[in-house]
Amino acid sequence: MEKETASPELNVYVSSPSGSRAKETTFREWVVDNQIGISLTILAMLLALHNLYPSLRPYTQPFFELSYYNPATNQYVQGWDDVYFVFSAALALTAIRAIAIEWVIQPLARQAGLGRKGSVRLAEQGWQVMYYSFVWATGLYLWKNSNYWFDFSAIWDEWPARPMSGLMKWYLLVELAFLIQSIFIIHVEERRKDHYQMFAHHIITSTLLTSAYIYGFYNVSNVVLCLMDIVDFLLPSAKILKYLKYQNACNVGFGIFMTTWFITRHVLYNVLCWSIYLNVPARMSYGCYAHGEMISENGYPDAFSYLFAPFMDLENPVCMNPTIKFIFLAFLVSIQLLSVLWFTMIVRVAYTTLTTGAAEDSRSDEEDEVEADPESTPNGTTRLAAKDGVSTAPVAVDTSPTLDRRRSNGSTTMRARGRGRVPFDQSDRKALLGRIGCEKPT
């Protein structure tokens, strides 16, 4: 009779060579493995209801189309039905991300000669380049064709007019959907060292973007997102060059990234914050507005309820006063503080690279994964290889086809989690995957 035991150290089921029992899978791992299926199934069900039951279209249409369109002006306003569009956009982005990483970029990376983990890292960076280059170009187009192109004081000339173009509305809602989807991703996938910083950034940014959308600060949101998004595809681009071993190109790309980060996030961004402080109310009077017209010069109509009045009913008046101005400025400054923290880490990495040639990205993820060596030892055991070729003792594992093969293109992996982590020394990690700098690993 075959004997089976559960190994608490590896959090997997091990068995005799003739046994066949699948690796224990957590709910989080199941969600990661089925992102495409879950997202597309929900969207397909909504689409089926939309097409098969015309009586339900007033309820399903907001999932697929922008709401609150005014044919007379060819413009849109905001409303609570926009929540449905954000939900479906977040699902679509989840599916597109997983498809791009697993079915397109990762196989191309493997063909280029990268290993399993290297191809996964390149694919994740490739998705960042794909999304941010597209959305940044869209935002830049809106900014370039506006009346506030590099004239921050003109941002307030149109406030609090609610109408906006369809492209502006789509752009802001997709950006919000991406932030919500990013919060989901960082909680279901392997945690990085900067998990809590990224979580705080996404929460602050999504709260700020949502509030600005409801208050009608479309122009400010457009400028802030443009200044932030540009570096979010420059850094992944430099990392891709590093993974492909284009060292000189990576050095140049990393230099461009650092320069652009400093100019956009620590110069132009601060100029924008100063403009908000200086030009409100110089270009826009304090008071309460309804449908674009001032209805009261009293910016504090009733205790603090006026702050949340636009959230409760979008037809309620929207007010502007020093309190509201400084609340929004506080959110913007908090994002700036996170950017300063990250930039300090990046400068430290760059300095270490120039002086010692051994830079390690302090924002990178933990590498706790143990890869199975393709060479198996006799008696059905598999020798697990730690980082940099430091091997461990043979362990009997189940080699059945049902073993977890998540994001590995067929390579068997076992992950140590929680208290069952395999204790590797920090120096055993692959330095190449943990670096922002472009120097070769030592």
Side-chain angles (χ1 to χ4, degrees):
M1 176 183 241
E2 117 181 341
K3 181 180 180 181
E4 296 181 346
T5 60
S7 171
E9 293 299 322
L10 294 176
N11 195 30
V12 297
Y13 286 104
V14 297
S15 64
S16 63
S18 60
S20 60
R21 185 151 185 180
K23 174 183 176 290
E24 183 182 34
T25 301
T26 65
F27 176 75
R28 181 180 62 81
E29 293 172 327
W30 178 83
V31 171
V32 171
D33 293 341
N34 296 276
Q35 292 180 68
I36 300 174
I38 294 172
S39 303
L40 294 184
T41 298
I42 296 175
L43 290 175
M45 291 173 60
L46 290 172
L47 190 60
L49 290 174
H50 181 76
N51 289 319
L52 297 177
Y53 299 93
S55 61
L56 296 179
R57 287 181 183 176
Y59 304 100
T60 57
Q61 189 168 348
F63 286 99
F64 305 104
E65 297 181 13
L66 296 175
S67 304
Y68 307 107
Y69 175 65
N70 185 352
T73 60
N74 194 31
Q75 290 185 314
Y76 293 81
V77 294
Q78 75 272 55
W80 284 114
D81 283 354
D82 295 336
V83 173
Y84 304 115
F85 184 86
V86 172
F87 173 77
S88 62
L91 287 176
L93 286 170
T94 301
I96 294 170
R97 176 184 182 272
I99 291 172
I101 288 177
E102 297 181 16
W103 296 359
V104 180
I105 309 176
Q106 191 176 347
L108 292 175
R110 296 300 293 268
Q111 291 181 5
L114 273 71
R116 187 193 61 80
K117 288 168 59 177
S119 64
V120 170
R121 292 292 179 263
L122 185 143
E124 291 174 347
Q125 303 304 319
W127 162 248
Q128 297 284 322
V129 172
M130 289 173 58
Y131 171 78
Y132 279 112
S133 59
F134 172 76
V135 78
W136 177 75
T138 304
L140 187 66
Y141 172 82
L142 290 167
W143 187 14
K144 181 67 174 64
N145 292 277
S146 69
N147 66 311
Y148 51 90
W149 172 247
F150 276 98
D151 182 6
F152 294 153
S153 62
I155 286 176
W156 305 103
D157 290 346
E158 298 178 355
W159 193 88
R162 293 182 64 193
M164 57 183 155
S165 66
L167 182 59
M168 175 66 82
K169 180 167 185 170
W170 180 90
Y171 166 73
L172 295 175
L173 294 182
V174 168
E175 286 275 40
L176 181 57
F178 180 80
L179 289 169
I180 294 174
Q181 184 255 358
S182 298
I183 295 173
F184 165 77
I185 290 297
I186 66 175
H187 279 88
V188 298
E189 294 191 347
E190 293 298 324
R191 288 196 175 187
R192 308 298 173 90
K193 286 183 179 179
D194 62 344
H195 170 83
Y196 292 104
Q197 294 95 319
M198 289 301 300
F199 179 62
H201 174 271
H202 293 331
I203 290 294
I204 294 172
T205 306
S206 58
T207 302
L208 178 61
L209 184 57
T210 301
S211 302
Y213 183 77
I214 292 176
Y215 267 78
F217 298 153
Y218 315 133
N219 299 340
V220 182
S221 301
N222 178 210
V223 177
V224 170
L225 291 170
C226 281
L227 296 179
M228 290 289 173
D229 288 346
I230 183 172
V231 299
D232 287 328
F233 74 83
L234 290 177
L235 177 58
S237 299
K239 285 189 174 183
I240 289 175
L241 294 172
K242 176 186 68 176
Y243 296 146
L244 296 177
K245 297 181 173 60
Y246 293 112
Q247 301 297 329
N248 293 333
C250 178
N251 291 332
V252 173
F254 188 67
I256 295 173
F257 154 73
M258 288 190 62
T259 303
T260 305
W261 178 301
F262 179 78
I263 293 174
T264 57
R265 294 199 175 189
H266 301 305
V267 177
L268 295 177
Y269 185 89
N270 289 332
V271 171
L272 174 64
C273 291
W274 176 252
S275 174
I276 295 173
Y277 172 80
L278 187 66
N279 295 314
V280 179
R283 298 288 287 264
M284 179 198 63
S285 300
Y286 287 147
C288 293
Y289 298 78
H291 304 288
E293 301 293 335
M294 179 181 285
I295 60 174
S296 172
E297 294 184 359
N298 178 19
Y300 299 91
D302 46 9
F304 288 98
S305 61
Y306 70 92
L307 288 171
F308 306 99
F311 293 88
M312 304 304 295
D313 188 344
L314 294 172
E315 292 298 323
N316 286 335
V318 57
C319 301
M320 174 57 72
N321 54 46
T323 300
I324 295 176
K325 180 177 76 171
F326 284 111
I327 288 175
F328 278 98
L329 274 176
F331 276 107
L332 292 172
V333 170
S334 62
I335 295 175
Q336 175 67 191
L337 293 177
L338 284 173
S339 296
V340 170
L341 174 64
W342 282 324
F343 192 65
T344 302
M345 297 179 182
I346 293 169
V347 171
R348 187 183 303 130
V349 168
Y351 176 77
T352 305
T353 302
L354 292 174
T355 55
T356 66
E360 183 172 341
D361 181 7
S362 56
R363 303 193 315 155
S364 65
D365 58 300
E366 294 278 358
E367 297 290 346
D368 333 268
E369 189 175 277
V370 186
E371 289 191 64
D373 191 288
E375 297 180 1
S376 296
T377 60
N379 301 323
T381 60
T382 300
R383 181 173 296 277
L384 301 183
K387 307 308 175 203
D388 297 334
V390 181
S391 61
T392 64
V395 178
V397 299
D398 175 18
T399 57
S400 64
T402 58
L403 206 68
D404 181 24
R405 302 171 183 273
R406 58 191 287 258
R407 296 197 308 173
S408 62
N409 286 339
S411 64
T412 302
T413 64
M414 295 199 306
R415 295 178 180 269
R417 290 183 176 84
R419 62 181 179 179
R421 290 185 178 180
V422 179
F424 292 127
D425 187 82
Q426 297 288 335
S427 61
D428 289 335
R429 294 174 180 170
K430 292 184 179 179
L432 178 62
L433 297 179
R435 295 181 180 177
I436 281 183
C438 304
E439 296 298 321
K440 293 181 180 180
T442 57

